Amino acid sequence: MDTKILSTTSENIKLCAKAVKNGELVAFPTETVYGLGANALDATAAEKIYAAKGRPSDNPLIVHVASMNEVSAVVEKIPPIAVKLAAAFMPGPLTLVMKKKPCVPDTVTGGLDTVAVRIPKSSTALSLIRAAGVPICAPSANLSGRPSPTTARHVYNDLYGKIPYILDGGACKIGIESTVLDLTSDKPRLLRPGGLSPEKLREVAGEIEIVQSGKVALCPGMKYKHYAPKAEVLFSAYYENMAQSICDWYDRLSQSGKNPVILCLSQNAEKYGDRATLKVGRTYEDYAHNLFADLRLADDRCHGVVIAEGVEDGGIGSSLINRLVKSSGGRII
Ligand code: TXA
Ligand code: MG
């Protein structure tokens, strides 16, 4: 199959919407990462997603809709807290897990009786959903286990030959995935930190339970290998003198021929002298925006090891820590 990268003209969006209605897969931009979309009410179409990504079938998909009205098409009963959260944060990088309606196939929910729903902010994503006239289930559009794609080129590199169309909306604004919040128990439970910080969530939702990774995987996807480039990733803990330890690791790895690279904030680059660096920008938001792209870039430049600077917990920092711990497979230095 040939894979076409299409600009986001209304003709191309219509073409892709038609493909979705016909049971085909279409990759599309959202403000978080690129999604690999299919008609969420068509089990056969959803199965194609798992095949294209090499994704385990017990890892459920997020259902994307264009408005709160459409949420009720897939959710049994929308709890009052969901209405409050939606008013504050949707469209945006928040995914809510609620009891599903029978029309949502088991293939989409990995056999669970709940469904994860999100309203993306990207105008291309919204136009595609509206034109398709059906909810669109979509995981991140990467091969399973790889860093999530934040450009159309990343999707192309992973899924060339496996899907017909990629809508190219440029680089994703946020760069890491949505925050997943489970609303099916008494207290809202944060299953995956993401583009919306726990602090912001608490302002509206009150107390929320943070599900520790390492405990039972409530967000089924979080138990699998994730966000891994070909290079080995080492993630530094955050402390005052981390640059010194990062330099020591770099020099040892360099001597053993590993061609390492340091992922760092631009303002810290001078601490690493003439060692190879990839600068992620000046803020943690920049770090989130560039993280997945830079992990892929490190592979393109044949670095054998990426040493990623640590960040302070809190805000988008918690989401960065989550992604980097997973990306490193727990190799914390
Ligand atoms: O920003 C995002 O969320 C992107 C864009 C494309 O929307 N999507 C995304 O999808 O990151 P994916 O499949 O890579 O991650 C979805 C996560 C997985 O960890 C999955 O296990 C969890 O959401 N999830 C989906 N349905 C669930 C459910 N019913 N209960 C608990 N977790 C669920
Ligand atoms: Mg993913």
PDB file of all heavy atoms in Angstrom, residues 131-170:
ATOM      1  N   ALA A 131     -16.476  15.709   9.710  1.00  0.00           N
ATOM      2  CA  ALA A 131     -16.717  15.267   8.328  1.00  0.00           C
ATOM      3  C   ALA A 131     -16.988  13.765   8.275  1.00  0.00           C
ATOM      4  O   ALA A 131     -17.784  13.301   7.452  1.00  0.00           O
ATOM      5  CB  ALA A 131     -15.522  15.624   7.452  1.00  0.00           C
ATOM      6  N   ALA A 132     -16.327  13.000   9.142  1.00  0.00           N
ATOM      7  CA  ALA A 132     -16.550  11.546   9.143  1.00  0.00           C
ATOM      8  C   ALA A 132     -17.941  11.224   9.693  1.00  0.00           C
ATOM      9  O   ALA A 132     -18.559  10.232   9.308  1.00  0.00           O
ATOM     10  CB  ALA A 132     -15.469  10.848   9.967  1.00  0.00           C
ATOM     11  N   GLY A 133     -18.421  12.061  10.607  1.00  0.00           N
ATOM     12  CA  GLY A 133     -19.756  11.843  11.175  1.00  0.00           C
ATOM     13  C   GLY A 133     -19.823  10.668  12.134  1.00  0.00           C
ATOM     14  O   GLY A 133     -20.902  10.212  12.511  1.00  0.00           O
ATOM     15  N   VAL A 134     -18.664  10.156  12.519  1.00  0.00           N
ATOM     16  CA  VAL A 134     -18.600   9.060  13.505  1.00  0.00           C
ATOM     17  C   VAL A 134     -17.482   9.386  14.503  1.00  0.00           C
ATOM     18  O   VAL A 134     -16.563  10.126  14.168  1.00  0.00           O
ATOM     19  CB  VAL A 134     -18.272   7.688  12.844  1.00  0.00           C
ATOM     20  CG1 VAL A 134     -19.440   7.183  12.020  1.00  0.00           C
ATOM     21  CG2 VAL A 134     -16.989   7.747  12.017  1.00  0.00           C
ATOM     22  N   PRO A 135     -17.567   8.839  15.723  1.00  0.00           N
ATOM     23  CA  PRO A 135     -16.433   9.000  16.637  1.00  0.00           C
ATOM     24  C   PRO A 135     -15.208   8.272  16.070  1.00  0.00           C
ATOM     25  O   PRO A 135     -15.368   7.245  15.404  1.00  0.00           O
ATOM     26  CB  PRO A 135     -16.907   8.356  17.936  1.00  0.00           C
ATOM     27  CG  PRO A 135     -18.130   7.587  17.611  1.00  0.00           C
ATOM     28  CD  PRO A 135     -18.681   8.070  16.319  1.00  0.00           C
ATOM     29  N   ILE A 136     -14.037   8.805  16.315  1.00  0.00           N
ATOM     30  CA  ILE A 136     -12.822   8.200  15.764  1.00  0.00           C
ATOM     31  C   ILE A 136     -11.931   7.675  16.892  1.00  0.00           C
ATOM     32  O   ILE A 136     -11.498   8.440  17.760  1.00  0.00           O
ATOM     33  CB  ILE A 136     -12.040   9.226  14.897  1.00  0.00           C
ATOM     34  CG1 ILE A 136     -12.885   9.608  13.670  1.00  0.00           C
ATOM     35  CG2 ILE A 136     -10.678   8.678  14.487  1.00  0.00           C
ATOM     36  CD1 ILE A 136     -12.194  10.552  12.687  1.00  0.00           C
ATOM     37  N   CYS A 137     -11.711   6.355  16.902  1.00  0.00           N
ATOM     38  CA  CYS A 137     -10.803   5.807  17.913  1.00  0.00           C
ATOM     39  C   CYS A 137      -9.383   5.935  17.383  1.00  0.00           C
ATOM     40  O   CYS A 137      -9.123   5.721  16.202  1.00  0.00           O
ATOM     41  CB  CYS A 137     -11.141   4.364  18.253  1.00  0.00           C
ATOM     42  SG  CYS A 137     -11.145   3.233  16.861  1.00  0.00           S
ATOM     43  N   ALA A 138      -8.483   6.351  18.248  1.00  0.00           N
ATOM     44  CA  ALA A 138      -7.115   6.581  17.791  1.00  0.00           C
ATOM     45  C   ALA A 138      -6.113   6.481  18.927  1.00  0.00           C
ATOM     46  O   ALA A 138      -6.209   7.221  19.897  1.00  0.00           O
ATOM     47  CB  ALA A 138      -6.994   7.962  17.145  1.00  0.00           C
ATOM     48  N   PRO A 139      -5.154   5.581  18.791  1.00  0.00           N
ATOM     49  CA  PRO A 139      -3.993   5.624  19.672  1.00  0.00           C
ATOM     50  C   PRO A 139      -2.974   6.543  19.033  1.00  0.00           C
ATOM     51  O   PRO A 139      -3.216   7.077  17.936  1.00  0.00           O
ATOM     52  CB  PRO A 139      -3.481   4.180  19.631  1.00  0.00           C
ATOM     53  CG  PRO A 139      -3.803   3.739  18.236  1.00  0.00           C
ATOM     54  CD  PRO A 139      -5.051   4.484  17.804  1.00  0.00           C
ATOM     55  N   SER A 140      -1.853   6.765  19.681  1.00  0.00           N
ATOM     56  CA  SER A 140      -0.770   7.509  19.034  1.00  0.00           C
ATOM     57  C   SER A 140      -0.319   6.724  17.799  1.00  0.00           C
ATOM     58  O   SER A 140      -0.320   5.491  17.797  1.00  0.00           O
ATOM     59  CB  SER A 140       0.374   7.700  20.027  1.00  0.00           C
ATOM     60  OG  SER A 140       0.710   6.470  20.646  1.00  0.00           O
ATOM     61  N   ALA A 141       0.067   7.474  16.741  1.00  0.00           N
ATOM     62  CA  ALA A 141       0.288   6.840  15.433  1.00  0.00           C
ATOM     63  C   ALA A 141       1.727   6.371  15.241  1.00  0.00           C
ATOM     64  O   ALA A 141       2.321   6.567  14.188  1.00  0.00           O
ATOM     65  CB  ALA A 141      -0.104   7.824  14.332  1.00  0.00           C
ATOM     66  N   ASN A 142       2.282   5.727  16.277  1.00  0.00           N
ATOM     67  CA  ASN A 142       3.635   5.174  16.190  1.00  0.00           C
ATOM     68  C   ASN A 142       3.551   3.657  16.174  1.00  0.00           C
ATOM     69  O   ASN A 142       2.513   3.086  16.535  1.00  0.00           O
ATOM     70  CB  ASN A 142       4.449   5.614  17.416  1.00  0.00           C
ATOM     71  CG  ASN A 142       3.697   5.329  18.706  1.00  0.00           C
ATOM     72  OD1 ASN A 142       2.790   6.072  19.067  1.00  0.00           O
ATOM     73  ND2 ASN A 142       4.036   4.255  19.392  1.00  0.00           N
ATOM     74  N   LEU A 143       4.640   2.998  15.767  1.00  0.00           N
ATOM     75  CA  LEU A 143       4.720   1.560  15.980  1.00  0.00           C
ATOM     76  C   LEU A 143       4.730   1.346  17.482  1.00  0.00           C
ATOM     77  O   LEU A 143       5.332   2.137  18.220  1.00  0.00           O
ATOM     78  CB  LEU A 143       6.005   1.000  15.375  1.00  0.00           C
ATOM     79  CG  LEU A 143       6.034   0.797  13.857  1.00  0.00           C
ATOM     80  CD1 LEU A 143       7.420   0.306  13.426  1.00  0.00           C
ATOM     81  CD2 LEU A 143       4.951  -0.165  13.383  1.00  0.00           C
ATOM     82  N   SER A 144       4.079   0.296  17.934  1.00  0.00           N
ATOM     83  CA  SER A 144       3.983   0.028  19.362  1.00  0.00           C
ATOM     84  C   SER A 144       5.381   0.025  20.001  1.00  0.00           C
ATOM     85  O   SER A 144       6.308  -0.571  19.453  1.00  0.00           O
ATOM     86  CB  SER A 144       3.311  -1.329  19.545  1.00  0.00           C
ATOM     87  OG  SER A 144       2.769  -1.422  20.809  1.00  0.00           O
ATOM     88  N   GLY A 145       5.517   0.739  21.122  1.00  0.00           N
ATOM     89  CA  GLY A 145       6.797   0.758  21.836  1.00  0.00           C
ATOM     90  C   GLY A 145       7.690   1.924  21.471  1.00  0.00           C
ATOM     91  O   GLY A 145       8.598   2.269  22.216  1.00  0.00           O
ATOM     92  N   ARG A 146       7.462   2.563  20.317  1.00  0.00           N
ATOM     93  CA  ARG A 146       8.326   3.655  19.855  1.00  0.00           C
ATOM     94  C   ARG A 146       7.856   5.008  20.437  1.00  0.00           C
ATOM     95  O   ARG A 146       6.722   5.128  20.891  1.00  0.00           O
ATOM     96  CB  ARG A 146       8.289   3.730  18.321  1.00  0.00           C
ATOM     97  CG  ARG A 146       8.683   2.456  17.646  1.00  0.00           C
ATOM     98  CD  ARG A 146      10.083   2.499  17.099  1.00  0.00           C
ATOM     99  NE  ARG A 146      10.292   3.594  16.175  1.00  0.00           N
ATOM    100  CZ  ARG A 146      11.370   4.399  16.189  1.00  0.00           C
ATOM    101  NH1 ARG A 146      12.301   4.246  17.107  1.00  0.00           N
ATOM    102  NH2 ARG A 146      11.505   5.354  15.280  1.00  0.00           N
ATOM    103  N   PRO A 147       8.708   6.023  20.374  1.00  0.00           N
ATOM    104  CA  PRO A 147       8.248   7.352  20.824  1.00  0.00           C
ATOM    105  C   PRO A 147       7.035   7.799  20.011  1.00  0.00           C
ATOM    106  O   PRO A 147       6.966   7.535  18.804  1.00  0.00           O
ATOM    107  CB  PRO A 147       9.452   8.258  20.537  1.00  0.00           C
ATOM    108  CG  PRO A 147      10.639   7.341  20.468  1.00  0.00           C
ATOM    109  CD  PRO A 147      10.117   6.052  19.925  1.00  0.00           C
ATOM    110  N   SER A 148       6.100   8.472  20.652  1.00  0.00           N
ATOM    111  CA  SER A 148       4.907   8.950  19.941  1.00  0.00           C
ATOM    112  C   SER A 148       5.312   9.954  18.862  1.00  0.00           C
ATOM    113  O   SER A 148       6.277  10.690  19.030  1.00  0.00           O
ATOM    114  CB  SER A 148       3.939   9.598  20.925  1.00  0.00           C
ATOM    115  OG  SER A 148       3.536   8.642  21.876  1.00  0.00           O
ATOM    116  N   PRO A 149       4.546   9.985  17.757  1.00  0.00           N
ATOM    117  CA  PRO A 149       4.904  10.872  16.652  1.00  0.00           C
ATOM    118  C   PRO A 149       4.355  12.277  16.860  1.00  0.00           C
ATOM    119  O   PRO A 149       3.197  12.453  17.217  1.00  0.00           O
ATOM    120  CB  PRO A 149       4.219  10.210  15.458  1.00  0.00           C
ATOM    121  CG  PRO A 149       3.072   9.449  16.043  1.00  0.00           C
ATOM    122  CD  PRO A 149       3.374   9.138  17.462  1.00  0.00           C
ATOM    123  N   THR A 150       5.196  13.272  16.624  1.00  0.00           N
ATOM    124  CA  THR A 150       4.733  14.657  16.752  1.00  0.00           C
ATOM    125  C   THR A 150       4.811  15.402  15.420  1.00  0.00           C
ATOM    126  O   THR A 150       4.535  16.594  15.369  1.00  0.00           O
ATOM    127  CB  THR A 150       5.534  15.406  17.839  1.00  0.00           C
ATOM    128  OG1 THR A 150       6.931  15.328  17.517  1.00  0.00           O
ATOM    129  CG2 THR A 150       5.321  14.785  19.204  1.00  0.00           C
ATOM    130  N   THR A 151       5.208  14.696  14.364  1.00  0.00           N
ATOM    131  CA  THR A 151       5.131  15.260  13.007  1.00  0.00           C
ATOM    132  C   THR A 151       4.624  14.162  12.066  1.00  0.00           C
ATOM    133  O   THR A 151       4.700  12.960  12.387  1.00  0.00           O
ATOM    134  CB  THR A 151       6.507  15.723  12.467  1.00  0.00           C
ATOM    135  OG1 THR A 151       7.352  14.572  12.282  1.00  0.00           O
ATOM    136  CG2 THR A 151       7.189  16.717  13.395  1.00  0.00           C
ATOM    137  N   ALA A 152       4.159  14.600  10.891  1.00  0.00           N
ATOM    138  CA  ALA A 152       3.681  13.642   9.888  1.00  0.00           C
ATOM    139  C   ALA A 152       4.831  12.734   9.443  1.00  0.00           C
ATOM    140  O   ALA A 152       4.627  11.548   9.160  1.00  0.00           O
ATOM    141  CB  ALA A 152       3.099  14.393   8.701  1.00  0.00           C
ATOM    142  N   ARG A 153       6.038  13.282   9.393  1.00  0.00           N
ATOM    143  CA  ARG A 153       7.210  12.486   8.973  1.00  0.00           C
ATOM    144  C   ARG A 153       7.474  11.340   9.946  1.00  0.00           C
ATOM    145  O   ARG A 153       7.807  10.223   9.538  1.00  0.00           O
ATOM    146  CB  ARG A 153       8.415  13.436   8.853  1.00  0.00           C
ATOM    147  CG  ARG A 153       9.694  12.854   8.350  1.00  0.00           C
ATOM    148  CD  ARG A 153       9.626  12.124   7.025  1.00  0.00           C
ATOM    149  NE  ARG A 153       9.082  12.884   5.915  1.00  0.00           N
ATOM    150  CZ  ARG A 153       8.966  12.417   4.664  1.00  0.00           C
ATOM    151  NH1 ARG A 153       9.359  11.195   4.355  1.00  0.00           N
ATOM    152  NH2 ARG A 153       8.436  13.156   3.718  1.00  0.00           N
ATOM    153  N   HIS A 154       7.318  11.584  11.252  1.00  0.00           N
ATOM    154  CA  HIS A 154       7.484  10.497  12.231  1.00  0.00           C
ATOM    155  C   HIS A 154       6.499   9.366  11.938  1.00  0.00           C
ATOM    156  O   HIS A 154       6.850   8.190  12.006  1.00  0.00           O
ATOM    157  CB  HIS A 154       7.223  10.971  13.669  1.00  0.00           C
ATOM    158  CG  HIS A 154       8.151  12.030  14.168  1.00  0.00           C
ATOM    159  ND1 HIS A 154       7.801  12.894  15.180  1.00  0.00           N
ATOM    160  CD2 HIS A 154       9.405  12.371  13.806  1.00  0.00           C
ATOM    161  CE1 HIS A 154       8.818  13.718  15.419  1.00  0.00           C
ATOM    162  NE2 HIS A 154       9.796  13.428  14.594  1.00  0.00           N
ATOM    163  N   VAL A 155       5.248   9.746  11.643  1.00  0.00           N
ATOM    164  CA  VAL A 155       4.228   8.726  11.356  1.00  0.00           C
ATOM    165  C   VAL A 155       4.638   7.947  10.106  1.00  0.00           C
ATOM    166  O   VAL A 155       4.591   6.707  10.078  1.00  0.00           O
ATOM    167  CB  VAL A 155       2.839   9.379  11.110  1.00  0.00           C
ATOM    168  CG1 VAL A 155       1.794   8.307  10.806  1.00  0.00           C
ATOM    169  CG2 VAL A 155       2.404  10.224  12.296  1.00  0.00           C
ATOM    170  N   TYR A 156       5.057   8.683   9.101  1.00  0.00           N
ATOM    171  CA  TYR A 156       5.455   8.068   7.823  1.00  0.00           C
ATOM    172  C   TYR A 156       6.572   7.057   8.058  1.00  0.00           C
ATOM    173  O   TYR A 156       6.540   5.937   7.550  1.00  0.00           O
ATOM    174  CB  TYR A 156       5.904   9.180   6.879  1.00  0.00           C
ATOM    175  CG  TYR A 156       6.176   8.752   5.465  1.00  0.00           C
ATOM    176  CD1 TYR A 156       5.138   8.691   4.524  1.00  0.00           C
ATOM    177  CD2 TYR A 156       7.462   8.434   5.045  1.00  0.00           C
ATOM    178  CE1 TYR A 156       5.382   8.318   3.208  1.00  0.00           C
ATOM    179  CE2 TYR A 156       7.710   8.058   3.733  1.00  0.00           C
ATOM    180  CZ  TYR A 156       6.678   8.003   2.819  1.00  0.00           C
ATOM    181  OH  TYR A 156       6.922   7.635   1.528  1.00  0.00           O
ATOM    182  N   ASN A 157       7.575   7.469   8.846  1.00  0.00           N
ATOM    183  CA  ASN A 157       8.718   6.578   9.099  1.00  0.00           C
ATOM    184  C   ASN A 157       8.294   5.289   9.799  1.00  0.00           C
ATOM    185  O   ASN A 157       8.865   4.233   9.558  1.00  0.00           O
ATOM    186  CB  ASN A 157       9.788   7.297   9.938  1.00  0.00           C
ATOM    187  CG  ASN A 157      10.470   8.387   9.130  1.00  0.00           C
ATOM    188  OD1 ASN A 157      10.386   8.423   7.905  1.00  0.00           O
ATOM    189  ND2 ASN A 157      11.150   9.301   9.815  1.00  0.00           N
ATOM    190  N   ASP A 158       7.286   5.369  10.665  1.00  0.00           N
ATOM    191  CA  ASP A 158       6.836   4.166  11.391  1.00  0.00           C
ATOM    192  C   ASP A 158       5.829   3.341  10.592  1.00  0.00           C
ATOM    193  O   ASP A 158       5.833   2.112  10.663  1.00  0.00           O
ATOM    194  CB  ASP A 158       6.162   4.565  12.721  1.00  0.00           C
ATOM    195  CG  ASP A 158       7.166   4.735  13.856  1.00  0.00           C
ATOM    196  OD1 ASP A 158       8.371   4.870  13.559  1.00  0.00           O
ATOM    197  OD2 ASP A 158       6.742   4.737  15.029  1.00  0.00           O
ATOM    198  N   LEU A 159       4.934   3.999   9.858  1.00  0.00           N
ATOM    199  CA  LEU A 159       3.768   3.274   9.317  1.00  0.00           C
ATOM    200  C   LEU A 159       3.696   3.260   7.794  1.00  0.00           C
ATOM    201  O   LEU A 159       2.668   2.882   7.225  1.00  0.00           O
ATOM    202  CB  LEU A 159       2.475   3.867   9.901  1.00  0.00           C
ATOM    203  CG  LEU A 159       2.338   3.756  11.428  1.00  0.00           C
ATOM    204  CD1 LEU A 159       1.069   4.447  11.908  1.00  0.00           C
ATOM    205  CD2 LEU A 159       2.338   2.298  11.887  1.00  0.00           C
ATOM    206  N   TYR A 160       4.795   3.642   7.138  1.00  0.00           N
ATOM    207  CA  TYR A 160       4.802   3.641   5.672  1.00  0.00           C
ATOM    208  C   TYR A 160       4.385   2.263   5.150  1.00  0.00           C
ATOM    209  O   TYR A 160       4.876   1.239   5.616  1.00  0.00           O
ATOM    210  CB  TYR A 160       6.196   3.991   5.125  1.00  0.00           C
ATOM    211  CG  TYR A 160       6.237   3.819   3.638  1.00  0.00           C
ATOM    212  CD1 TYR A 160       5.677   4.781   2.804  1.00  0.00           C
ATOM    213  CD2 TYR A 160       6.752   2.651   3.063  1.00  0.00           C
ATOM    214  CE1 TYR A 160       5.640   4.600   1.433  1.00  0.00           C
ATOM    215  CE2 TYR A 160       6.721   2.465   1.689  1.00  0.00           C
ATOM    216  CZ  TYR A 160       6.157   3.443   0.885  1.00  0.00           C
ATOM    217  OH  TYR A 160       6.103   3.262  -0.472  1.00  0.00           O
ATOM    218  N   GLY A 161       3.471   2.258   4.187  1.00  0.00           N
ATOM    219  CA  GLY A 161       3.047   0.996   3.567  1.00  0.00           C
ATOM    220  C   GLY A 161       1.912   0.311   4.315  1.00  0.00           C
ATOM    221  O   GLY A 161       1.330  -0.652   3.828  1.00  0.00           O
ATOM    222  N   LYS A 162       1.594   0.812   5.517  1.00  0.00           N
ATOM    223  CA  LYS A 162       0.559   0.145   6.323  1.00  0.00           C
ATOM    224  C   LYS A 162      -0.739   0.919   6.376  1.00  0.00           C
ATOM    225  O   LYS A 162      -1.767   0.382   6.792  1.00  0.00           O
ATOM    226  CB  LYS A 162       1.063  -0.056   7.755  1.00  0.00           C
ATOM    227  CG  LYS A 162       2.260  -0.980   7.821  1.00  0.00           C
ATOM    228  CD  LYS A 162       2.695  -1.151   9.251  1.00  0.00           C
ATOM    229  CE  LYS A 162       3.762  -2.241   9.328  1.00  0.00           C
ATOM    230  NZ  LYS A 162       4.218  -2.464  10.670  1.00  0.00           N
ATOM    231  N   ILE A 163      -0.693   2.211   6.032  1.00  0.00           N
ATOM    232  CA  ILE A 163      -1.911   3.032   6.069  1.00  0.00           C
ATOM    233  C   ILE A 163      -1.967   3.898   4.802  1.00  0.00           C
ATOM    234  O   ILE A 163      -0.917   4.245   4.250  1.00  0.00           O
ATOM    235  CB  ILE A 163      -1.966   3.942   7.336  1.00  0.00           C
ATOM    236  CG1 ILE A 163      -0.766   4.901   7.383  1.00  0.00           C
ATOM    237  CG2 ILE A 163      -1.994   3.097   8.591  1.00  0.00           C
ATOM    238  CD1 ILE A 163      -0.863   5.944   8.500  1.00  0.00           C
ATOM    239  N   PRO A 164      -3.176   4.247   4.332  1.00  0.00           N
ATOM    240  CA  PRO A 164      -3.239   5.000   3.082  1.00  0.00           C
ATOM    241  C   PRO A 164      -2.912   6.493   3.229  1.00  0.00           C
ATOM    242  O   PRO A 164      -2.261   7.054   2.354  1.00  0.00           O
ATOM    243  CB  PRO A 164      -4.686   4.804   2.621  1.00  0.00           C
ATOM    244  CG  PRO A 164      -5.463   4.445   3.848  1.00  0.00           C
ATOM    245  CD  PRO A 164      -4.499   3.773   4.776  1.00  0.00           C
ATOM    246  N   TYR A 165      -3.365   7.132   4.329  1.00  0.00           N
ATOM    247  CA  TYR A 165      -3.242   8.589   4.402  1.00  0.00           C
ATOM    248  C   TYR A 165      -2.702   9.096   5.741  1.00  0.00           C
ATOM    249  O   TYR A 165      -3.049   8.564   6.789  1.00  0.00           O
ATOM    250  CB  TYR A 165      -4.613   9.262   4.205  1.00  0.00           C
ATOM    251  CG  TYR A 165      -5.296   8.909   2.919  1.00  0.00           C
ATOM    252  CD1 TYR A 165      -6.564   8.314   2.914  1.00  0.00           C
ATOM    253  CD2 TYR A 165      -4.679   9.175   1.693  1.00  0.00           C
ATOM    254  CE1 TYR A 165      -7.201   7.995   1.728  1.00  0.00           C
ATOM    255  CE2 TYR A 165      -5.304   8.853   0.501  1.00  0.00           C
ATOM    256  CZ  TYR A 165      -6.562   8.261   0.526  1.00  0.00           C
ATOM    257  OH  TYR A 165      -7.182   7.936  -0.649  1.00  0.00           O
ATOM    258  N   ILE A 166      -1.886  10.153   5.633  1.00  0.00           N
ATOM    259  CA  ILE A 166      -1.462  10.903   6.822  1.00  0.00           C
ATOM    260  C   ILE A 166      -1.798  12.368   6.554  1.00  0.00           C
ATOM    261  O   ILE A 166      -1.321  12.946   5.578  1.00  0.00           O
ATOM    262  CB  ILE A 166       0.066  10.782   7.052  1.00  0.00           C
ATOM    263  CG1 ILE A 166       0.486   9.318   7.184  1.00  0.00           C
ATOM    264  CG2 ILE A 166       0.483  11.599   8.281  1.00  0.00           C
ATOM    265  CD1 ILE A 166       2.012   9.107   7.145  1.00  0.00           C
ATOM    266  N   LEU A 167      -2.624  12.955   7.407  1.00  0.00           N
ATOM    267  CA  LEU A 167      -2.903  14.395   7.288  1.00  0.00           C
ATOM    268  C   LEU A 167      -1.779  15.147   7.986  1.00  0.00           C
ATOM    269  O   LEU A 167      -1.500  14.899   9.168  1.00  0.00           O
ATOM    270  CB  LEU A 167      -4.237  14.727   7.966  1.00  0.00           C
ATOM    271  CG  LEU A 167      -5.505  14.541   7.132  1.00  0.00           C
ATOM    272  CD1 LEU A 167      -6.735  14.692   8.024  1.00  0.00           C
ATOM    273  CD2 LEU A 167      -5.555  15.523   5.960  1.00  0.00           C
ATOM    274  N   ASP A 168      -1.130  16.054   7.270  1.00  0.00           N
ATOM    275  CA  ASP A 168       0.037  16.750   7.815  1.00  0.00           C
ATOM    276  C   ASP A 168      -0.362  18.122   8.359  1.00  0.00           C
ATOM    277  O   ASP A 168      -0.524  19.075   7.605  1.00  0.00           O
ATOM    278  CB  ASP A 168       1.091  16.898   6.717  1.00  0.00           C
ATOM    279  CG  ASP A 168       2.374  17.518   7.247  1.00  0.00           C
ATOM    280  OD1 ASP A 168       2.405  17.923   8.433  1.00  0.00           O
ATOM    281  OD2 ASP A 168       3.346  17.592   6.479  1.00  0.00           O
ATOM    282  N   GLY A 169      -0.511  18.210   9.654  1.00  0.00           N
ATOM    283  CA  GLY A 169      -0.875  19.486  10.286  1.00  0.00           C
ATOM    284  C   GLY A 169       0.327  20.148  10.938  1.00  0.00           C
ATOM    285  O   GLY A 169       0.170  20.992  11.817  1.00  0.00           O
ATOM    286  N   GLY A 170       1.541  19.754  10.556  1.00  0.00           N
ATOM    287  CA  GLY A 170       2.742  20.338  11.161  1.00  0.00           C
ATOM    288  C   GLY A 170       3.035  19.710  12.521  1.00  0.00           C
ATOM    289  O   GLY A 170       2.430  18.699  12.889  1.00  0.00           O
TER     290      GLY A 170
END
